[in-house]
């Protein structure tokens, strides 16, 4: 079950698992690893987990438990031991490839301090970097110098299946000393400089061609929204450029540094142009995203989100400043994230052509002639398990594309060469190796690199609420202290004040309960995998878990007296809501292919019955307290997530639309009197809390949708929390949601 998988992925792996395993075995049996018990174990464990797609297990806490066991109880000591073993393992790998393994076709690397292996084809750059004279023995490796390498009795290890997360949670620090790594060879940089304060959130940098001036979005000096700022890269205070209450972000800077185009969220969102010298702002287009000024200043490119029944999800436009927009690649089903070529005659974009399910990077001339498929995401060599983000920057000499990508839990900046014919046929190279989420890379003419480094945490916030009136009575506040890991699935008992949630403290998913006094305890044994907590009105806590072997799924319940019981629930993947009588639970049942169907389980015997069949994919559901109606959110095909209702009594489940599908809406929750239905909606382009009045006479009718609270602050937003793990809980005096908390800084470095 993937908690936070990124939406954009790389191509199907061209390196076969048998090919990688055969290569791994040769490395493990090589002279470089002779007698190095722990280096061998660490290398084998990391590579095999990567092949299985379980890179979320490759973090220091997990590896310490597997390799070190109970040898030491000091976390600091465990960390030192793991880093020592990791360092020795990397030294042995390099020694093998430099000497005995000079003819290997593959290469395994561990960039920086990451435990996620990079597995890739060997390149010409690797061969150029080899020592001129092969030596008889790996002199760089000493078999007995490290006390942590001495024989370690490896016993059987029971591996518990973990909920995976690609979210880099709780990281407020970033180590620039680890930056500057390239897969082919190290790239030499000067000092990395932080240009903005860590007390504010700053992101989306752009830089002038001479590298002297940067423009970026930041919440410094505002009430929590993003504004654009201009700042000298060397010295100087930031100057605020925009002053609206709505977010201004995604800037693009003209070559002369006097014009900025950007996206503003005011009036439904759109593209705006600012002339800095005159302070004049004009609107370019409604709904536009990621605007980009061409290098010659004659065009503005942008895209729109536009879900349509034929599968089309976006539109691409170019417009002359002050002129009429012209649509490009109208035949494509996806056209997003445009990036200008240095000659201003072509656009690189993320696209999916008609009749295809493959997403790739494409290049289109702006004159409308035939586009070119780069092959970056489909046919080019790539790094195993790397998940591509969109392209961000086309370097001025036309040779490199900069983008960000996930590898395991890290998100770094990468580059890939592009040919004069717009083809990508080389393996990407990692440019930075930090521990933050590094993104939005741009370079000046002298290759000076500017980028943003974000740290992200996801935890539960509480919004004071009058639930029967649909009115917020205060501002949201975090639930407790800053979390040790992401927190999902908030649920609360309607009386008593208990709150349940899922957290991954120490890398292990557990159900936690926060008592009214604020004390947090875990009711789930540490040797089980548990998820999807849910409270009934009488205070019974239910959740799903697997047995120790990870085979059988159980619905486990703990009543208010602490008595525990369990029933089988083999196809259950998510708990949604108790029936008013507490005898049934609405559940998400795993269907085909890996999509949830709305079902109900009898908690006495575990029998599961499907309520809403294919083709709807269900995300959340709730049972009205009067027992008459079930509201649920689902998606059919490419239509936005929509809220519907069905009768809990009628055998024929006629579906009644609560929202019309013109905007995404999900997580329905009833008020205690069954007269209001709360939900999360993107009606104003943000993700906010809404309510609708419901009448349940002979049928069901709705009226008067209204916003209960807007989550518009740039630092704490609902958008970044993946839909499968978001939950809305409505109690007697408050609502609970998981918010993504973001901090960001702008960094710069000079090449040497």
């Amino acid at each position: 079950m993937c908690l936070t998988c990124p939406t954009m992925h790389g191509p199907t792996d061209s390196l076969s698992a048998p090919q990688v395993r055969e290569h791994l075995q040769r490395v493990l049996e090589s002279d470089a690893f002779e007698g190095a018990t722990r280096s061998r174990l660490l290398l084998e464990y990391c590579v095999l987990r990567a092949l299985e797609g379980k890179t979320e297990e490759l973090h220091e806490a997990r590896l310490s438990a597997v390799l070190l066991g109970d040898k030491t109880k000091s976390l600091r000591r465990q960390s030192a031991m793991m880093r020592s073993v990791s360092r020795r393992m990397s030294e042995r790998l390099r020694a093998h490839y430099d000497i005995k393994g000079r003819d290997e076709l593959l290469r395994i690397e561990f960039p920086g301090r990451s435990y996620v292996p990079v597995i890739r084809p060997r390149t010409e750059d690797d061969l150029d970097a080899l020592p001129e004279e092969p030596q008889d023995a790996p002199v760089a490796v000493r078999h007995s110098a490290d006390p942590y390498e001495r024989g370690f009795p490896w016993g059987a290890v029971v591996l518990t299946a973990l909920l995976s997360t690609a979210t880099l949670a709780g990281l407020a620090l970033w180590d620039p000393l680890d930056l500057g790594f390239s897969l082919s060879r190290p790239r030499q940089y000067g000092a990395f400089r932080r240009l903005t304060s860590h007390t504010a959130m700053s992101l989306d940098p752009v830089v002038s061609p001479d590298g002297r001036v940067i423009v970026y979005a930041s919440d410094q000096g505002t009430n929590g929204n993003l504004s654009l700022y201009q700042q000298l890269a060397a010295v100087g205070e930031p100057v605020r450029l925009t002053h609206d209450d709505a977010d201004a972000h995604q800037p693009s800077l003209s070559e002369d540094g006097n014009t900025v185009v950007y996206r503003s969220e005011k009036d439904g969102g759109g593209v705006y142009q600012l002339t800095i010298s005159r302070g004049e702002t004009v609107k370019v287009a409604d709904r536009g995203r990621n605007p980009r000024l061409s290098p010659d200043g004659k065009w503005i490119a942008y895209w729109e989100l536009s879900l349509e029944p034929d599968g089309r999800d976006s539109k691409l436009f170019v417009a002359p400043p002050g002129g009429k927009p012209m649509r490009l690649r109208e035949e494509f089903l996806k056209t997003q994230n445009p990036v200008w070529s240095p000659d201003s005659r072509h656009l690189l974009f993320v696209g999916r052509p008609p009749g295809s399910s493959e997403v790739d990077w494409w290049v289109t001339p702006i004159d409308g002639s035939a586009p070119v498929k780069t092959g970056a995401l489909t046919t080019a060599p790539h790094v195993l398990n790397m998940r591509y983000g969109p392209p961000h920057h086309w370097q001025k000499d036309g040779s490199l594309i900069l983008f960000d990508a996930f590898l395991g839990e890290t998100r770094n900046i990468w580059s890939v060469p592009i040919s004069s014919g717009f083809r990508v046929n080389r393996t990407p190279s990692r440019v930075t190796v930090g521990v933050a989420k590094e993104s939005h890379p741009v370079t000046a003419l002298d290759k000076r690199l500017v980028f943003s480094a974000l740290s992200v945490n996801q935890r539960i916030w509480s919004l004071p609420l009058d639930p029967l009136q649909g009115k917020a009575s205060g501002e949201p506040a975090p639930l407790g202290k800053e979390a040790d890991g992401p927190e999902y699935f908030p649920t609360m008992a309607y009386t008593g004040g208990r709150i349940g949630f899922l957290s991954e403290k120490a890398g292990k998913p557990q159900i936690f309960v926060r008592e009214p006094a604020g004390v947090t305890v875990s009711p789930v044994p540490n040797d089980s995998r548990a998820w999807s907590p849910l409270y009934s009105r009488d205070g019974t806590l239910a959740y799903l878990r697997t047995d120790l072997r990870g085979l059988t799924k159980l619905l486990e319940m703990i009543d208010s007296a602490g008595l525990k019981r369990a029933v089988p629930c083999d196809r259950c993947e998510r708990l949604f809501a108790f029936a008013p009588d507490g005898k049934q639970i609405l559940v998400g049942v795993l269907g085909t292919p890996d999509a949830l169907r709305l079902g109900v389980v009898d908690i006495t015997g575990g029998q599961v019955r499907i309520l809403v069949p294919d083709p709807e994919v269900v995300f959340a559901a709730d049972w009205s307290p009067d027992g008459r109606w079930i509201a649920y959110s689902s998606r059919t095909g490419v239509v936005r997530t929509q809220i519907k209702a069905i009768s809990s009594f009628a055998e024929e489940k006629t579906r009644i639309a609560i929202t019309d599908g013109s905007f995404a809406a999900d997580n329905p929750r009833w008020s205690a009197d069954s007269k209001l239905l709360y939900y999360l909606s993107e009606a104003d382009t943000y993700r906010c809390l809404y309510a609708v009045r419901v009448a349940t006479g002979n049928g069901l009718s709705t009226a008067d949708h209204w916003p209960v609270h807007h989550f518009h602050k740039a630092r704490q937003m609902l958008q970044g929390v993946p839909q499968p793990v978001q939950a809305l809980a409505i109690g007697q005096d408050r609502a609970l949601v998981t918010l993504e908390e973001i901090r960001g800084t702008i960094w710069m470095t000079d090449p040497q």
Side-chain angles (χ1 to χ4, degrees):
M1 180 181 178
C2 181
L3 287 183
T4 53
C5 293
T7 56
M8 293 195 62
H9 297 269
T12 305
D13 293 332
S14 59
L15 301 178
S16 68
Q19 181 184 8
V20 174
R21 287 192 176 95
E22 181 181 345
H23 174 75
L24 171 65
Q25 195 59 38
R26 285 198 302 272
V27 175
L28 294 174
E29 294 174 357
S30 67
D31 292 344
F33 281 83
E34 181 181 356
T37 305
R38 281 191 175 152
S39 286
R40 286 171 52 90
L41 289 173
L42 180 59
L43 176 61
E44 184 175 26
Y45 185 89
C46 292
V47 172
L48 293 182
R49 288 301 168 275
L51 287 176
E52 295 169 3
K54 297 180 179 179
T55 53
E56 74 277 359
E57 296 185 9
L58 302 180
H59 55 82
E60 199 164 85
R62 177 66 178 168
L63 294 171
S64 296
V66 172
L67 267 69
L68 305 180
D70 294 327
K71 187 175 181 67
T72 174
K73 294 184 179 180
S74 166
L75 294 178
R76 185 174 182 179
R77 177 68 169 165
Q78 284 183 342
S79 179
M81 293 173 70
M82 280 306 307
R83 291 178 184 177
S84 178
V85 174
S86 175
R87 184 178 65 253
R88 290 294 181 184
M89 176 192 67
S90 295
E91 290 175 356
R92 294 176 189 280
L93 277 172
R94 286 193 293 270
H96 170 70
Y97 292 123
D98 285 350
I99 303 169
K100 297 292 186 181
R102 294 169 67 92
D103 297 327
E104 293 280 10
L105 298 180
L106 302 183
R107 189 178 181 98
I108 303 171
E109 296 171 317
F110 291 81
R113 296 177 182 173
S114 173
Y115 291 100
V116 179
V118 169
I119 307 170
R120 62 178 178 85
R122 212 153 184 195
T123 67
E124 293 181 2
D125 290 335
D126 296 324
L127 301 178
D128 292 342
L130 288 174
E132 293 184 4
E133 296 294 333
Q135 302 179 40
D136 294 332
V139 296
V141 178
R142 299 188 298 273
H143 293 308
S144 60
D146 191 340
Y148 302 142
E149 289 280 20
R150 295 169 188 157
F152 175 69
W154 180 255
V157 179
V158 178
L159 298 179
T160 304
L162 298 179
L163 294 173
S164 67
T165 175
T167 305
L168 191 62
L171 290 175
L173 299 176
W174 176 65
D175 184 4
L177 297 179
D178 276 344
L179 295 176
F181 180 87
S182 170
L183 286 180
S184 58
R185 61 182 63 179
R187 176 176 292 175
Q188 300 301 317
Y189 288 112
F192 283 77
R193 314 191 295 280
R194 178 167 53 81
L195 303 181
T196 61
S197 170
H198 57 77
T199 60
M201 188 184 79
S202 303
L203 70 166
D204 296 352
V206 289
V207 63
S208 61
D210 59 10
R212 295 179 60 250
V213 177
I214 61 169
V215 173
Y216 57 93
S218 178
D219 66 355
Q220 56 185 303
T222 69
N223 293 324
N225 63 292
L226 293 173
S227 294
L228 296 187
Y229 286 80
Q230 183 185 56
Q231 181 176 326
L232 293 177
V235 293
E237 292 296 318
V239 177
R240 188 172 175 179
L241 300 178
T242 61
H243 299 271
D244 296 323
D245 292 334
D247 282 349
H249 56 129
Q250 300 175 356
S252 179
L253 187 64
S254 64
E255 295 281 308
D256 62 6
N258 189 42
T259 302
V260 180
V261 295
Y262 62 98
R263 175 174 168 87
S264 172
E265 301 299 336
K266 69 179 179 181
D267 300 328
V271 175
Y272 288 76
Q273 177 177 316
L274 167 67
T275 303
I276 297 177
S277 60
R278 297 197 298 267
E280 295 177 355
T281 300
V282 295
K283 191 171 189 176
V284 176
D286 291 324
R287 300 181 298 279
R289 299 168 182 265
N290 295 99
R292 291 293 177 262
L293 262 172
S294 61
D296 62 10
K298 297 180 179 179
W299 297 95
I300 300 170
Y302 62 93
W303 67 278
E304 291 180 6
L305 185 66
S306 178
L307 294 182
E308 298 177 9
D310 62 356
R312 205 173 309 271
D313 64 12
S314 45
K315 300 176 182 178
L316 180 64
F317 295 89
V318 294
K324 184 178 179 180
M326 175 179 67
R327 187 172 173 187
L328 295 180
R329 304 276 61 101
E330 190 170 349
E331 74 278 14
F332 271 57
L333 301 178
K334 179 187 290 290
T335 49
Q336 297 181 5
N337 300 97
V339 175
W340 283 103
S341 64
D343 63 6
S344 300
R345 295 164 54 193
H346 300 82
L347 280 173
L348 172 70
F349 66 98
V350 178
R352 179 164 67 95
S356 173
S357 60
E358 283 188 343
V359 175
D360 208 333
W361 295 354
W362 289 75
V363 173
T364 180
I366 63 172
D367 63 9
S369 54
V372 177
K373 181 180 178 180
T374 69
L377 306 188
T378 54
T379 59
H382 63 282
V383 177
L384 189 68
N385 289 331
M386 190 180 83
R387 298 182 294 275
Y388 285 69
H392 283 288
H393 182 68
W394 197 329
Q395 280 196 346
K396 298 297 182 182
D397 61 7
S399 62
L400 282 178
I401 304 297
L402 294 178
F403 63 101
D404 56 65
F406 280 92
L407 188 61
E409 291 187 349
T410 61
R411 176 179 171 184
N412 302 122
I413 295 166
W414 295 68
S415 69
V416 67
I418 186 168
S419 71
S420 58
F422 309 128
R423 304 287 184 178
V424 173
N425 51 26
R426 297 286 299 272
T427 305
S429 296
R430 194 196 298 253
V431 177
T432 63
V433 189
V435 297
K437 283 188 171 182
E438 300 156 3
S439 186
H440 304 100
V442 291
T443 58
L445 286 174
D446 61 358
K447 305 296 178 66
R448 186 177 300 181
L449 174 67
V450 180
F451 59 95
S452 58
L454 308 179
S455 61
V456 178
N457 193 19
Q458 294 177 337
R459 60 172 169 163
I460 297 169
W461 285 58
S462 174
L463 173 69
L465 184 70
D466 182 346
L468 299 183
Q469 299 300 318
K471 296 180 180 179
S473 55
E475 290 297 314
L479 190 67
K481 299 178 180 179
E482 187 160 344
D484 297 330
E487 299 174 344
Y488 302 120
F489 300 121
T491 181
M492 73 178 106
Y494 197 76
T495 58
R498 285 186 175 179
I499 294 170
F501 58 93
L502 174 75
S503 184
E504 295 190 58
K505 300 177 188 294
K508 182 182 182 61
Q510 293 175 285
I511 306 298
F512 287 81
V513 172
R514 187 179 298 278
E515 302 290 348
V519 179
T520 302
V521 296
S522 172
V524 180
N526 289 331
D527 57 359
S528 65
R529 173 187 178 230
W531 71 101
S532 195
L534 178 67
Y535 265 116
S536 69
R537 292 183 67 85
D538 66 1
T540 296
L541 178 64
Y543 49 85
L544 293 169
R545 73 172 180 87
T546 55
D547 62 11
L548 290 179
R549 294 180 298 168
L551 300 177
T552 304
K553 291 178 183 175
L554 301 171
L555 169 59
E556 194 158 85
M557 288 157 284
I558 304 174
D559 63 23
S560 56
L563 297 178
K564 182 184 296 186
R565 61 191 177 97
V567 296
C569 201
D570 285 342
R571 292 186 296 155
C572 299
E573 285 293 321
R574 174 83 184 267
L575 302 184
F576 293 138
F578 272 91
D581 61 6
K583 296 180 180 179
Q584 299 180 93
I585 297 178
L586 291 174
V587 294
V589 180
L590 190 62
T592 302
D594 294 338
L596 296 188
R597 311 301 178 210
L598 181 60
V600 61
V601 59
D602 186 331
I603 67 174
T604 59
Q607 297 88 358
V608 178
R609 177 168 53 95
I610 300 297
L611 296 178
V612 177
D614 298 348
E616 289 193 82
V617 179
V618 175
F619 293 96
D622 195 23
W623 215 313
S624 64
D626 62 12
R628 301 180 61 185
W629 297 95
I630 295 170
Y632 67 95
S633 58
S634 68
R635 185 175 66 235
T636 304
V638 298
V639 178
R640 292 178 174 91
T641 307
Q642 187 177 3
I643 295 176
K644 303 174 184 178
I646 55 175
S647 170
S648 57
F649 298 131
E651 200 63 36
E652 180 66 28
K653 300 301 183 187
T654 302
R655 304 165 198 184
I656 301 171
I658 304 296
T659 62
D660 61 10
S662 60
F663 46 81
D666 58 21
N667 278 283
R669 285 290 166 187
W670 295 91
S671 62
D673 59 4
S674 302
K675 293 182 179 180
L676 296 181
L677 187 65
Y678 292 88
Y679 59 95
L680 303 180
S681 170
E682 297 179 9
D684 65 352
T685 72
Y686 289 85
R687 193 167 171 80
C688 302
L689 178 61
Y690 281 72
V692 59
R693 200 168 304 281
V694 179
T696 58
N698 295 329
L700 184 145
S701 61
T702 62
D704 300 332
H705 296 255
W706 69 90
V708 177
H709 184 79
H710 290 292
F711 291 97
H712 289 186
K713 291 186 177 180
R715 285 205 200 187
Q716 300 98 23
M717 304 187 78
L718 285 165
Q719 271 100 329
V721 181
Q723 194 176 44
V725 296
Q726 181 62 274
L728 170 64
I730 302 294
Q732 284 185 313
D733 59 357
R734 56 180 151 172
L736 299 179
V737 290
T738 296
L739 295 181
E740 182 173 72
E741 304 170 23
I742 307 174
R743 297 170 183 160
T745 50
I746 307 298
W747 291 75
M748 173 178 277
T749 183
D750 301 316
Q752 289 184 344

